[in-house]
Amino acid sequence: QVQLVESGGGSVQAGGSLRLSCAASGDTYTYHYMGWFRQAPGKEREGVAVIDSDGSTIYADSVKGRFTISQDNAKNTLYLQMNSLKPEDTAIYYCAADRVQWFLRPGYEYWGQGTQVTVSS
């Protein structure tokens, strides 16, 4: 079992920045792929950025150049640095982990409870 807890969400104005964190605990040695997803009201959950144990990353086109995913293996923590935020980035952001590579598809086995990000214009 793996437990994921997100933090760092909040409300910012357009153009601002936030850094999300995801603390992992439990059988953390069992998963090799982690990612950030988001879900806006009335929309499907979408992949934002994913990273593997070697540090290789994939980003959704909508966030390339603005968001950066990273991980601190010693702290079992995943991060998402979000810059130049736009109102359309408003959503609940979720952390996910799995031993299988799902890329940006929301098929991951383990999920956090989510953290709200609100960007005002």
Side-chain angles (χ1 to χ4, degrees):
Q1 290 292 324
V2 176
Q3 294 78 42
L4 304 172
V5 179
E6 302 96 335
S7 61
S11 298
V12 296
Q13 290 191 329
S17 298
L18 282 174
R19 188 175 83 153
L20 305 182
S21 298
C22 172
S25 61
D27 298 331
T28 57
Y29 61 90
T30 63
Y31 62 83
H32 303 288
Y33 305 97
M34 295 192 75
W36 288 99
F37 291 75
R38 66 187 181 186
Q39 188 165 18
K43 295 188 177 181
E44 294 185 351
R45 190 169 297 189
E46 64 174 356
V48 174
V50 298
I51 188 168
D52 67 19
S53 55
D54 294 328
S56 296
T57 58
I58 301 173
Y59 293 92
D61 289 343
S62 59
V63 305
K64 281 181 181 177
R66 300 189 299 123
F67 291 10
T68 302
I69 187 172
S70 62
Q71 60 190 357
D72 185 331
N73 292 327
K75 296 182 178 179
N76 288 329
T77 302
L78 181 72
Y79 302 100
L80 184 68
Q81 178 66 44
M82 305 185 295
N83 299 327
S84 302
L85 283 161
K86 305 175 181 180
E88 50 264 44
D89 294 318
T90 295
I92 299 175
Y93 283 70
Y94 298 90
C95 170
D98 204 326
R99 67 191 70 185
V100 176
Q101 172 64 286
W102 290 94
F103 298 100
L104 292 173
R105 294 171 293 170
Y108 289 71
E109 181 174 4
Y110 301 105
W111 293 87
Q113 82 290 349
T115 185
Q116 177 71 46
V117 171
T118 303
V119 184
S120 57
S121 58

